[in-house]
Amino acid sequence: MQFSENWLRTMVDPKMTSDELSHLLTMSGLEVEEVEPVAPPFNNVVVAEIREIAKHPDADKLNVCQVDVGTGSLLNIVCGAPNVRVGMKVPCAMVGAILPPGADGKPFEIKIGKLRGVESYGMLCSARELKLSEDHGGLMDLPSDAPVGQNFRDYYQLNDLKFTIKLTPNKADCLSVLGVAREVSALTGTPMQLPEVVVLPVTLQETLPVKVSAPDLCGRFAGRVIRGVNARAATPEWMKQRLERSGQRPISALVDISNYVMLELGRPSHVFDLDKIHGSLDVRWGRAGESLKLLNGNTVEVDDWVGVISDEKEIESLAGIMGGDSTAVTLDTQNIYLEAAFWWPQAIQGRARRFNFSTDAAHRFERGVDFASIVEHIERISALIVEICGGASQVKLGPVDDQIINLPQRPPVKLRTARAVKVVGVALDDAKIADIFTRLGLQFTQLPGEFMVTPPSYRFDIEIEEDLIEEVARVYGFENIPALPPVAANAMLIAPENQRSLFAVRRLVADQDYQEVVNYSFVEEAWEQDFSGNSQPVRLLNPIASQMSVMRTSMIGSLVANTRYNLNRKLNRVRIFEIGAIYLQDANVQDGPLEVAGYQQPKRLAALAYGPVAEEQWGQETRNVDFFDVKADLEALFAPKTLRFIKQEHVALHPGRSASIECDGKHIGYIGELHPRLQQKYELPLAPVLFEVDVAALQNVNVPMYQEISKFQAVTRDLALVVKQAVMVQNLLDVFQTEIRQNEACKIVQAVVLFDEYRGKGLETDEKSLAFRFSLQDTQSTLQDDKVEAAMNALVAAAGQQFAARLR
């Protein structure tokens, strides 16, 4: 948004400098990107009148002019401009004037000089020489009422600045000088001087029939017939200046008036040539196969996604975007139809970009334009047309045809004073907030500690309580909010010895030849069913992609996807891990600093191994990773703790090659091969082996404690027990450990290891032989055979009692 500072100050003139005004706007959220003068510096240039012209005696293209500059005597100035004439008023640079730099980059000083023998006491200037525009077709022709002798900078208001502000999409109400003036008035308390809206008498009872067939496109449509305009009338200099300093190029009086009111009041409008309209108008959605030639020369195809204004023969305008070429006003136009409407923002959004261009009207309508002041703005445009384009004939105005079809509902928005204080961080009271709302022109009703605010028709950005809190903070002043750092204890605490950090856990897993991956917590819904058997996952209200619609309860799916990604790129060995949160529904969880009610978010470690157990080498044969390789990795991570592996089925794992994991008597995860069904579904040539465990269990370690080291020799005994095939090794190990803890004779047993399993000849078909190696050692004396035999007999007896085990 670009505008002239002088134009702004005609509506609101706070007692502050330009720099202070720029800072004020920026700190209120209207970021001032650039402030630049409307003209470069120059001096000693005045308004002059040409009294006499004579041909130069020695040059056909030069004239010798007698120029009145208001000093009481005429100056002799040589001029070669083609448009010089007697009575013309032009800017004149006096002797000693410093003009803007030329092509050499140096300021140009005016001196007394001779041109072909004739002395010249100054220079008559073009707009290009004063760096006001690139027009170099001749002298700058000033209006006939320009006062001779006045400083040209003062007359042309060149001591003005152009403000360029960067607006956020929600501040559409500031896409006009009036909108910015409202902000300045609210921020400074300076009263506003609004443009006067003159309601002219209706002198013509003619209306153009208009039907609104699409209430979801147009909520309000107003227009009037105006006859007898003079389209050739010149646009006033003051209007041209304001348009140019707002980035608009003057075109013709009718177009300039429409653009001027858009910049002044934020109201885009359109002027049709009435004589080119065929019958009545219909405001509707487009139809497939229709096309329209626009004012910019482009011909576009429309369909039912684009709104149009059509007559009984063809489309005349893209609704809220751009008019058509067939009804465009020209210098020969005498009768016009002036239109202004409220277009629903969602009906305009994206339509201009579809055709690869943007317009000022679409930029405003897709953000929301005031729907309550349409008639007043039509009266403002009409008054300017009558004033500027009145011409010799009498302009006749028809009545304003105002059709209200479907306007937005503006329900009141509640603001709680306590909530505003909490969010802004400043001790605000009801009186302060009420004053801010009054200055902003917001209507409200008030109860103690509570406001009900009805958003104005021009504020589409006020919908929820936080929007009102933002307004309070802006007007209060962001720079007035103290920057107070939080006050809290800042002691360096020693990490507990029995806790590993997540960093240490990552290093530990990486040491086992796994590489870390980081995946989204959002996963495909099918993954939850496949890898967790979860038919009721936590769904996202606004997923970033259709394949990321639920929160994960397991990380297996992500690791399988990573594996497929690597296999598709010819990497046949994959060892990866991830540490992250999973999301479980749990009604027992309450809101807390790191918790959300109803949802448990534990951290898990998941790892996957696929392909060869080691990189290809000469030192060992190539074989694929199996269950026991990954089990060994997992045991190494938890060492010196001992894990229990219990046969258990899992929906994502192979029924006979999976187990649940227990540590310190608690279930902490599972391990196993991927289920063959999932291996086939996800197109994996081999079955990966994976595990997933609670990170908290891995972080919790035992504090090292002193244990006496025996200086006596250890004794080894092997024990082969015959048991039923249904008996699991883990159960036998549990029996041995229980006996070691409870039987004093077995305290000398230091370790038990399974080293062989046998099935076959000499055993029944439902039996198997398990061979264990026991290490025994005493810290007080050398072990004697009787103590060793007593311990071994006790262990055999315990196994026999529990599982009918017998010595082989």
Side-chain angles (χ1 to χ4, degrees):
M1 174 64 187
Q2 183 176 302
F3 58 89
S4 156
E5 181 186 6
N6 286 349
W7 191 3
L8 176 66
R9 288 185 183 272
T10 62
M11 295 189 189
V12 59
D13 189 11
K15 304 304 179 184
M16 56 177 53
T17 65
S18 300
D19 289 341
E20 292 171 338
L21 179 60
S22 172
H23 178 75
L24 177 74
L25 290 173
T26 299
M27 294 309 297
S28 70
L30 309 183
E31 181 184 352
V32 178
E33 282 192 308
E34 186 178 17
V35 178
E36 59 177 335
V38 298
F42 57 81
N43 58 25
N44 209 14
V45 178
V46 299
V47 176
E49 182 180 3
I50 301 174
R51 294 293 183 86
E52 299 177 10
I53 298 177
K55 284 292 182 180
H56 193 287
D58 293 330
D60 293 339
K61 293 185 178 180
L62 296 180
N63 295 297
V64 179
C65 305
Q66 301 299 312
V67 181
D68 181 7
V69 294
T71 60
S73 60
L74 300 180
L75 297 181
N76 195 68
I77 299 178
V78 178
C79 175
N83 65 334
V84 63
R85 70 179 187 275
V86 175
M88 185 181 187
K89 292 187 176 180
V90 297
C92 175
M94 309 278 283
V95 174
I98 305 295
L99 298 186
D104 58 358
K106 297 180 180 179
F108 182 59
E109 182 179 358
I110 302 300
K111 301 178 182 179
I112 299 175
K114 284 187 177 183
L115 295 175
R116 295 290 185 91
V118 178
E119 288 189 337
S120 182
Y121 294 87
M123 185 178 80
L124 303 182
C125 302
S126 68
R128 184 177 180 181
E129 289 162 340
L130 296 177
K131 295 293 187 290
L132 299 181
S133 74
E134 292 301 316
D135 182 15
H136 196 48
L139 298 178
M140 193 173 179
D141 194 353
L142 302 180
S144 59
D145 60 353
V148 175
Q150 184 178 3
N151 186 300
F152 179 71
R153 293 191 71 92
D154 295 336
Y155 169 74
Y156 220 65
Q157 297 184 0
L158 296 180
N159 299 316
D160 190 9
L161 296 174
K162 289 187 293 186
F163 278 61
T164 303
I165 59 176
K166 182 179 181 181
L167 292 175
T168 52
N170 64 316
K171 291 301 292 176
D173 60 298
C174 292
L175 285 169
S176 65
V177 178
L178 173 62
V180 178
R182 285 196 200 102
E183 291 292 309
V184 175
S185 177
L187 294 168
T188 63
T190 306
M192 292 181 60
Q193 298 292 329
L194 297 179
E196 183 180 1
V197 177
V198 179
V199 180
L200 298 177
V202 174
T203 56
L204 182 69
Q205 296 305 316
E206 179 183 359
T207 60
L208 180 67
V210 178
K211 179 177 69 172
V212 178
S213 302
D216 54 341
L217 167 66
C218 179
R220 185 175 184 180
F221 191 95
R224 84 182 323 166
V225 173
I226 305 177
R227 290 188 176 274
V229 300
N230 177 20
R232 296 181 181 273
T235 304
E237 285 297 326
W238 61 268
M239 183 176 287
K240 285 184 179 179
Q241 286 181 12
R242 291 180 176 180
L243 288 172
E244 290 171 346
R245 294 171 190 181
S246 300
Q248 292 280 350
R249 179 175 61 88
I251 299 173
S252 66
L254 291 174
V255 176
D256 292 345
I257 291 170
S258 177
N259 289 337
Y260 176 81
V261 174
M262 178 184 68
L263 295 170
E264 180 185 53
L265 305 176
R267 166 69 58 200
S269 59
H270 188 62
V271 181
F272 294 87
D273 189 321
L274 181 63
D275 298 327
K276 297 177 182 178
I277 297 177
H278 308 94
S280 61
L281 294 180
D282 186 10
V283 180
R284 58 176 174 81
W285 292 106
R287 302 185 183 108
E290 292 183 319
S291 63
L292 170 66
K293 184 178 181 182
L294 299 172
L295 289 173
N296 61 7
N298 294 348
T299 299
V300 297
E301 301 289 334
V302 303
D303 54 25
D304 59 1
W305 192 64
V306 180
V308 299
I309 302 175
S310 68
D311 60 19
E312 296 175 3
K313 182 179 178 182
E314 59 186 352
I315 298 176
E316 304 296 357
S317 173
L318 282 184
I321 299 176
M322 184 181 290
D325 181 69
S326 62
T327 54
V329 294
T330 65
L331 296 181
D332 297 324
T333 297
Q334 295 182 349
N335 306 309
I336 63 172
Y337 182 70
L338 176 61
E339 168 264 316
F342 167 71
W343 306 102
W344 283 95
Q346 55 267 36
I348 305 299
Q349 291 166 359
R351 273 66 173 183
R353 288 185 292 277
R354 170 180 175 176
F355 300 117
N356 295 321
F357 64 81
S358 178
T359 65
D360 290 324
H363 184 74
R364 287 164 171 78
F365 279 127
E366 67 184 4
R367 288 162 172 78
V369 174
D370 186 4
F371 55 83
S373 59
I374 293 179
V375 174
E376 290 82 356
H377 292 174
I378 280 189
E379 295 288 358
R380 170 66 172 161
I381 300 172
S382 302
L384 288 172
I385 290 176
V386 171
E387 177 186 346
I388 297 170
C389 302
S393 61
Q394 181 67 33
V395 176
K396 296 182 180 180
L397 296 177
V400 177
D401 177 23
D402 182 25
Q403 300 184 45
I404 298 177
I405 303 100
N406 179 27
L407 295 183
Q409 300 299 315
R410 309 311 305 270
V413 180
K414 180 192 291 187
L415 174 90
R416 296 163 293 172
T417 303
R419 176 64 177 167
V421 170
K422 183 177 181 180
V423 173
V424 180
V426 175
L428 300 167
D429 54 23
D430 288 1
K432 183 66 177 177
I433 294 177
D435 175 61
I436 290 173
F437 287 161
T438 302
R439 288 158 60 185
L440 286 170
L442 303 179
Q443 297 181 355
F444 63 90
T445 58
Q446 181 179 355
L447 294 173
E450 183 177 300
F451 294 82
M452 295 298 294
V453 180
T454 302
S457 56
Y458 54 84
R459 293 297 298 271
F460 285 78
D461 59 317
I462 298 179
E463 296 180 342
I464 58 177
E465 185 176 29
E466 282 68 20
D467 296 330
L468 292 173
I469 295 174
E470 178 186 1
E471 295 301 298
V472 171
R474 286 194 318 107
V475 179
Y476 181 83
F478 293 123
E479 71 273 25
N480 296 326
I481 300 176
L484 299 176
V487 179
N490 192 21
M492 296 296 290
L493 303 177
I494 299 174
E497 290 184 82
N498 64 342
Q499 287 289 320
R500 287 192 185 108
S501 67
L502 282 178
F503 176 78
V505 171
R506 286 186 170 91
R507 293 296 299 269
L508 199 62
V509 184
D511 288 344
Q512 301 297 319
D513 195 24
Y514 290 85
Q515 296 189 32
E516 185 175 13
V517 296
V518 179
N519 293 301
Y520 282 109
S521 296
F522 320 131
V523 298
E524 296 185 32
E525 187 171 354
W527 290 6
E528 280 299 294
Q529 185 65 41
D530 287 345
F531 299 107
S532 300
N534 182 12
S535 59
Q536 298 294 328
V538 179
R539 300 183 186 278
L540 294 172
L541 294 178
N542 187 23
I544 61 176
S546 59
Q547 70 272 21
M548 296 182 176
S549 59
V550 300
M551 304 297 289
R552 65 186 180 188
T553 58
S554 170
M555 293 189 285
I556 297 179
S558 300
L559 297 185
V560 170
N562 297 145
T563 303
R564 288 186 59 193
Y565 183 89
N566 283 274
L567 292 177
N568 291 338
R569 284 150 184 80
K570 307 302 181 184
L571 296 177
N572 63 347
R573 182 177 185 269
V574 179
R575 294 173 69 87
I576 53 178
F577 78 95
E578 180 179 8
I579 295 178
I582 61 172
Y583 303 87
L584 308 172
Q585 300 187 41
D586 186 347
N588 296 324
V589 177
Q590 303 297 320
D591 273 327
L594 299 176
E595 294 176 329
V596 177
Y599 299 96
Q600 186 182 0
Q601 305 175 56
K603 284 192 177 297
R604 294 285 180 89
L605 162 66
L608 179 148
Y610 176 94
V613 69
E615 294 286 355
E616 188 172 4
Q617 55 174 293
W618 63 268
Q620 68 181 67
E621 293 184 2
T622 299
R623 68 175 180 86
N624 291 324
V625 68
D626 61 19
F627 176 93
F628 297 101
D629 294 317
V630 177
K631 176 175 176 286
D633 293 336
L634 186 60
E635 290 177 322
L637 294 178
F638 278 87
K641 286 187 176 181
T642 302
L643 299 179
R644 292 187 73 248
F645 295 88
I646 304 171
K647 181 180 179 181
Q648 185 175 358
E649 292 188 1
H650 187 278
V651 65
L653 301 180
H654 191 295
R657 300 173 188 172
S658 60
S660 67
I661 307 168
E662 288 188 1
C663 181
D664 297 331
K666 296 180 180 178
H667 173 76
I668 63 169
Y670 50 85
I671 183 174
E673 277 188 11
L674 188 67
H675 198 289
R677 171 179 56 84
L678 299 179
Q679 177 188 346
Q680 181 179 9
K681 179 177 180 179
Y682 292 96
E683 300 175 352
L684 299 176
L686 302 174
V689 184
L690 48 87
F691 65 80
E692 182 173 311
V693 295
D694 286 327
V695 170
L698 190 53
Q699 287 183 281
N700 187 23
V701 297
N702 294 330
V703 178
M705 298 180 64
Y706 169 76
Q707 288 185 336
E708 185 179 1
I709 299 176
S710 175
K711 59 183 178 179
F712 302 101
Q713 185 175 356
V715 175
T716 301
R717 289 286 188 272
D718 294 342
L719 194 65
L721 298 176
V722 177
V723 294
K724 297 294 184 181
Q725 289 192 17
V727 176
M728 291 184 289
V729 173
Q730 185 64 59
N731 293 339
L732 273 173
L733 292 174
D734 291 342
V735 168
F736 292 152
Q737 293 298 331
T738 301
E739 190 67 18
I740 292 171
R741 287 194 303 271
Q742 296 177 354
N743 192 333
E744 193 66 30
C746 297
K747 298 291 186 183
I748 57 176
V749 178
Q750 304 297 321
V752 183
V753 177
L754 173 71
F755 68 90
D756 184 53
E757 177 182 355
Y758 173 76
R759 305 183 192 199
K761 187 177 180 180
L763 298 179
E764 299 293 334
T765 56
D766 63 341
E767 291 182 334
K768 61 182 176 182
S769 171
L770 300 175
F772 297 91
R773 178 160 294 161
F774 295 83
S775 296
L776 303 93
Q777 190 176 30
D778 192 359
T779 59
Q780 304 300 321
S781 62
T782 301
L783 288 179
Q784 303 297 321
D785 287 343
D786 57 343
K787 294 185 68 175
V788 173
E789 290 302 326
M792 296 304 297
N793 291 337
L795 294 172
V796 172
Q801 183 178 357
Q802 290 288 332
F803 301 107
R806 71 177 190 274
L807 287 172
R808 182 179 171 188

